[in-house]
Amino acid sequence: MVNKILIVAGTRPEIIKLAPVAHALGKVATLCLVHTGQHREMGAAAWQWFDLQPHYDLDVMEEDQPLSVLLGRLLQALHPVFAAEKPDFVIVQGDTASALAGALAAFYQHIPVAHVEAGLRTFDPTQPFPEEMQRVLISRLASLHFAPTAQARDFLLREGIPDEQVIVAGNTVVDSLKWLLESGKGRLPEPAHKALAQGRRLVAVTAHRRENQGERLPALCESLKSLVARHDVEIIFAVHPNPGVRRPVYALLDNQPGIHLLDPIPYPDFIRLLQACHFIVTDSGGIQEEASMLQKPVILLREVTERPEAEQAGVVKRVSPQTLLEEADRLLDDEVYYVSRCQSPALYGDGNAALRISQGLVVSS
């Protein structure tokens, strides 16, 4: 019987996707929430948006910390927590360093691991880096795998994961997004509100992945400058706090007319921005899912995606920073094409993923 469940999360996306799981499990088991601090400020705020308070804050982040050092600090910080709490299950989500460390630390203490959003694959260990390898490793450590889609389940089975350990639950981001939309929380950022009042169309932009840092990020900034030169659009760029992103973006785009650089936007407000925008430019995985539910086209700044369902449905299209402008112009100028890019069915579930995960954990015991 599952009496105590410990959830490890450290980044904003993890918390957003695990919040509905925490609420569902809190009704049937004793719950312990561990915030690793991988996203210090963004993560702390994310717990609050969903009326949750972590029992532990490990505060592991240091500036310019190598991945190997981060993983070591996470393992060292998690060990005494697991030893003291003695949970029946540890839950991790996705593919972050916090998720890998949570799964590995639990494995070392013979604690079963449940992996939420299991089975996503690009089959290229360098893209996204290091997330692809991290989620593959978590699959070897977990004993219960909650796949968001049937295709993710198939990938796990091909890797030799026993069928009885895999449950297609849907994606918990749908649970969170539905709850948020129904709650009425969030408001449109002021620059976006003003742009719409002036009859401009909005383009929402995010970029944070390692493969887009370096030479690709300046190319993205130049394409965004060309895009606002049309004078009928304005860009809201939510700039990631990573110095490798923030420094070049502000150096190239600060005070650029038509481009508004904002600190990370609170999730409820960010969802209101996605609702209001014409399309989205991003390298995010989770935004592909949110855009699908909101039926907003995504220009994806990646060479591969672990969410092929959204690409097959047409809501996501991969481009390079250099070819972004061509696709953006088409979305702005070709109404028939734009509408075709907005037609996405319920790719990631019905909003009951957290309930299925809760039931799956109870049954597994």
Side-chain angles (χ1 to χ4, degrees):
M1 180 176 179
V2 175
N3 293 312
K4 179 182 280 190
I5 295 173
L6 189 148
I7 293 178
V8 176
T11 66
R12 170 167 145 163
E14 285 174 292
I15 296 164
I16 289 167
K17 291 184 175 184
L18 285 172
V21 178
H23 282 296
L25 288 171
K27 299 174 182 177
V28 298
T30 300
L31 198 61
C32 179
L33 304 177
V34 178
H35 176 50
T36 69
Q38 188 172 342
H39 285 175
R40 186 178 288 122
E41 293 82 8
M42 291 194 301
W47 293 106
Q48 296 174 10
W49 299 329
F50 293 97
D51 303 320
L52 294 168
Q53 180 64 44
H55 300 87
Y56 295 88
D57 186 344
L58 305 184
D59 194 23
V60 298
M61 287 305 293
E62 295 179 351
E63 189 170 352
D64 297 325
Q65 187 168 224
L67 289 169
S68 56
V69 174
L70 172 59
L71 186 63
R73 285 171 58 83
L74 283 163
L75 289 169
Q76 188 174 29
L78 287 167
H79 175 82
V81 174
F82 290 3
E85 294 294 338
K86 295 180 173 58
D88 299 298
F89 252 102
V90 167
I91 298 179
V92 298
Q93 188 278 333
D95 50 27
T96 68
S98 292
L100 176 58
L104 187 56
F107 173 78
Y108 284 154
Q109 296 191 37
H110 305 285
I111 302 168
V113 174
H115 186 200
V116 175
E117 198 175 88
L120 272 63
R121 298 289 186 270
T122 65
F123 302 101
D124 181 345
T126 68
Q127 296 191 65
F129 179 87
E131 290 83 3
E132 174 72 3
M133 183 55 70
Q134 287 177 169
R135 56 186 169 227
V136 170
L137 293 172
I138 294 169
S139 294
R140 309 316 302 175
L141 297 166
S143 56
L144 198 54
H145 309 257
F146 293 104
T149 65
Q151 187 165 55
R153 173 185 178 274
D154 290 345
F155 290 157
L156 290 167
L157 297 181
R158 290 181 204 173
E159 293 174 3
I161 305 297
D163 181 77
E164 64 271 16
Q165 293 184 6
V166 183
I167 297 172
V168 178
N171 199 306
T172 56
V173 76
V174 179
D175 302 41
S176 290
L177 190 53
K178 287 183 70 173
W179 175 84
L180 183 63
L181 294 174
E182 292 168 1
S183 74
K185 290 187 177 184
R187 61 190 181 90
L188 196 62
E190 187 60 27
H193 182 77
K194 289 182 178 179
L196 290 174
Q198 295 169 356
R200 305 285 175 84
R201 288 176 287 185
L202 290 176
V203 177
V205 178
T206 76
H208 72 282
R209 292 196 177 274
R210 287 175 176 83
E211 56 263 42
N212 276 325
Q213 296 177 33
E215 295 180 0
R216 289 172 65 91
L217 200 51
L220 167 63
C221 292
E222 292 304 318
S223 291
L224 296 179
K225 286 181 185 179
S226 297
L227 181 57
V228 294
R230 293 172 49 109
H231 302 298
D232 62 347
V233 300
E234 292 198 16
I235 290 171
I236 308 295
F237 194 152
V239 184
H240 197 278
N242 184 326
V245 176
R246 191 173 185 86
R247 289 170 188 156
V249 167
Y250 270 86
L252 293 167
L253 297 180
D254 197 18
N255 298 317
Q256 178 72 31
I259 299 179
H260 307 276
L261 304 181
L262 303 184
D263 288 337
I265 303 170
Y267 186 64
D269 298 352
F270 186 69
I271 292 304
R272 300 304 170 188
L273 173 62
L274 296 189
Q275 282 185 296
C277 75
H278 196 65
F279 60 84
I280 304 155
V281 178
T282 189
D283 58 10
S284 165
I287 291 175
Q288 296 175 62
E289 299 158 352
E290 292 154 346
S292 172
M293 184 174 174
L294 296 171
Q295 297 189 319
K296 296 290 181 175
V298 171
I299 296 178
L300 185 63
L301 301 169
R302 290 172 60 179
E303 294 181 9
V304 294
T305 178
E306 61 281 86
R307 292 161 175 87
E309 304 89 358
E311 189 170 49
Q312 291 161 7
V315 70
V316 168
K317 183 172 181 179
R318 286 174 285 160
V319 303
S320 69
Q322 293 81 1
T323 59
L324 181 157
L325 190 59
E326 179 182 354
E327 179 64 17
D329 283 339
R330 190 175 180 190
L331 286 170
L332 290 163
D333 297 333
D334 187 337
E335 183 66 22
V336 173
Y337 177 68
Y338 177 81
V339 170
S340 73
R341 290 280 313 276
C342 295
Q343 306 304 311
S344 56
L347 301 176
Y348 298 106
D350 56 6
N352 293 309
L355 177 61
R356 294 189 186 96
I357 291 168
S358 175
Q359 292 171 341
L361 280 164
V362 171
V363 169
S364 72
S365 64

